[in-house]
Amino acid sequence: MIYLDHNATTPLDERVRESMLPYLGPLYGNPSSLHRLGRIARSAIGTAREQVAALVGAQPSEVIFTASGTEADNLAIKGLAGKLRPGVIASPLTEHPAVTGPLDYLSRHDWRIQTLAVDAQGSLTGDSQEAWEHPDLRFATVMLANNETGVIQDIARVADRLRARGLYLHCDAVQAAGKLPLDFHRCGAHLLSISAHKIYGPKGAGALIVQTGVELEPLLHGGGQERDLRGGTENVAALVGFGKAAELAKSELDQRYAHMLRLRQVLESGLASLPGATIFAGDSERLPNTVQFALTRIDGEALVMALDRRGFAVSSGSACASGAGEPSPVLLAMGVEPDVAKGAVRVSFGKDNSEEQVPLLLQALKNILADFGLNRAAG
Ligand code: PLP
């Protein structure tokens, strides 16, 4: 199987697995215990906190560990809402369900959600003046890089607008971490979410980076862990793995970026010669590893399954939405026709894909077009 679905999840890096093993074995202490085993676990989490902070250019004291990117998004959004007077939250329709879910929840509890417009290329437009100037605006949540299209938003610009009014910004950087250089303080967001399993770390670990001084209402009340913001005995092995994955992502970032961009470029130039292929947000600044495209008149899920039979793992729309059979809300928000959006498939490369795999994928796509009787320019 040639795995081309790294935005859904990444394989565990062997070096990460090695780093975790002692904490699944003899080093099983509870980080809250005073004895030696407890101190070893506590110190391991401290190291992981430093490694994760370094990946995003934050202070270790600003890292709050969670069990997922979804939990980090929920803690940011519901946590801020819990400390503020109910009002308006601004957000684009292109956000991940980990963000739209808590927003839907808050919209049933005294909050109003104001949509930020995106253009045909998936970028925030200047058309959302009403939202930015709303007198009851309290905060905004805007993702750095989109999981489906890979489109990168100008977060610093959004942050400037909000900071000028003393308002907050949460940024979901789950897809950006490990693929783009990140600098928490420079980007201007007050809160930033990341997740371990998107950067060759284990599933079940994430983090919310919280700027010093920003107050949040915890989702989980308990034993005072994570500065009282996330009660519960820590998943030490997973956090150690997260730390190691973050360290590797930082030290190998440039090399991974250049490699994945090369694969993306080879794929995109090959797609240009296929009849009726459309690359979504093709003119936007995008993640180096992500290509979302459609082949005219082939349903996205049918294409995913046809590729699966030929040994390629890709995704239709976002992983969470696949199987739902509905066109992607992200593409609809960009003004893509529902019929075209239903054809969307996403290829997301990883650090261990090779350049030789790309022509194999292109050949498989050509064979599938031939099977569908669509191998000549669409008329
Ligand atoms: N945010 C984005 C942009 C994502 O792509 C994902 C996962 O696909 C999440 C949040 C959720 O992260 P997790 O799978 O760790 O809950």
Side-chain angles (χ1 to χ4, degrees):
M1 173 68 77
I2 296 181
Y3 187 76
L4 301 170
D5 199 14
H6 294 80
N7 287 9
T9 197
T10 54
L12 193 67
D13 189 300
E14 188 53 36
R15 297 163 291 180
V16 171
R17 202 177 78 88
E18 286 294 320
S19 75
M20 294 170 65
L21 288 177
Y23 299 90
L24 294 166
L27 302 182
Y28 51 80
N30 183 327
S32 298
S33 299
L34 287 179
H35 51 66
R36 191 168 155 271
L37 274 179
R39 292 197 304 275
I40 291 173
R42 192 152 62 250
S43 146
I45 292 181
T47 304
R49 203 180 299 284
E50 286 168 13
Q51 291 163 318
V52 168
L55 176 66
V56 299
Q59 296 299 322
S61 60
E62 293 174 312
V63 176
I64 302 299
F65 283 125
T66 64
S68 61
T70 302
E71 188 191 329
D73 286 343
N74 272 264
L75 177 58
I77 294 166
K78 291 189 194 162
L80 264 184
K83 289 288 182 186
L84 300 171
R85 205 153 40 88
V88 170
I89 307 169
S91 183
L93 284 174
T94 45
E95 293 293 307
H96 189 273
V99 164
T100 57
L103 291 180
D104 282 349
Y105 170 83
L106 289 174
S107 72
R108 297 192 298 275
H109 293 83
D110 299 336
W111 286 80
R112 268 164 302 141
I113 315 303
Q114 181 87 41
T115 302
L116 297 171
V118 296
D119 62 20
Q121 291 295 321
S123 300
L124 285 177
T125 64
D127 298 345
S128 301
Q129 219 52 25
E130 198 193 335
W132 295 125
E133 286 169 10
H134 200 294
D136 296 331
L137 184 63
R138 303 279 182 266
F139 66 95
T141 173
V142 179
M143 73 201 325
L144 180 49
N146 188 271
N147 45 299
E148 292 183 38
T149 56
V151 169
I152 299 168
Q153 301 293 351
D154 186 350
I155 289 298
R157 217 169 118 236
V158 175
D160 284 349
R161 270 178 189 276
L162 291 161
R163 283 184 183 264
R165 286 186 58 193
L167 304 175
Y168 297 102
L169 173 63
H170 165 246
C171 175
D172 177 332
V174 166
Q175 289 296 342
K179 297 176 190 139
L180 300 175
L182 287 180
D183 186 331
F184 178 57
H185 294 123
R186 199 174 296 167
C187 88
H190 300 80
L191 299 156
L192 188 105
S193 304
I194 55 174
S195 175
H197 76 101
K198 310 286 188 184
I199 60 166
Y200 307 91
K203 292 165 185 64
L208 182 67
I209 316 300
V210 183
Q211 186 194 295
T212 308
V214 174
E215 289 195 15
L216 298 176
E217 187 64 35
L219 301 177
L220 299 179
H221 301 268
Q225 291 91 348
E226 298 301 300
R227 291 201 282 115
D228 247 348
L229 277 172
R230 208 269 175 180
T233 299
E234 298 87 340
N235 184 349
V236 181
L239 298 185
V240 166
F242 189 9
K244 183 69 184 173
E247 180 189 83
L248 294 168
K250 185 171 165 61
S251 66
E252 297 174 2
L253 185 77
D254 292 349
Q255 166 194 339
R256 290 184 192 180
Y257 184 98
H259 175 63
M260 294 190 296
L261 185 61
R262 171 89 193 120
L263 302 189
R264 194 189 95 182
Q265 286 165 341
V266 176
L267 175 60
E268 289 183 350
S269 58
L271 284 176
S273 66
L274 292 187
T278 309
I279 296 176
F280 298 110
D283 295 334
S284 285
E285 200 192 334
R286 277 177 297 139
L287 290 174
N289 75 321
T290 307
V291 186
Q292 192 182 34
F293 64 95
L295 300 182
T296 312
R297 288 186 280 163
I298 303 187
D299 178 75
E301 282 175 16
L303 188 49
V304 168
M305 294 321 294
L307 283 168
D308 182 57
R309 283 192 292 278
R310 288 168 167 78
F312 296 88
V314 306
S315 151
S316 69
S318 78
C320 313
S322 47
E326 292 297 320
S328 143
V330 173
L331 294 178
L332 297 184
M334 289 160 54
V336 176
E337 289 299 326
D339 274 2
V340 179
K342 281 194 95 165
V345 292
R346 177 189 69 192
V347 168
S348 47
F349 292 110
K351 67 184 176 69
D352 298 321
N353 288 124
S354 69
E355 202 168 321
E356 292 75 54
Q357 291 172 338
V358 185
L360 298 177
L361 173 66
L362 285 163
Q363 187 55 51
L365 290 170
K366 280 183 197 152
N367 295 344
I368 292 167
L369 280 169
D371 288 353
F372 276 76
L374 296 171
N375 48 341
R376 267 178 286 278

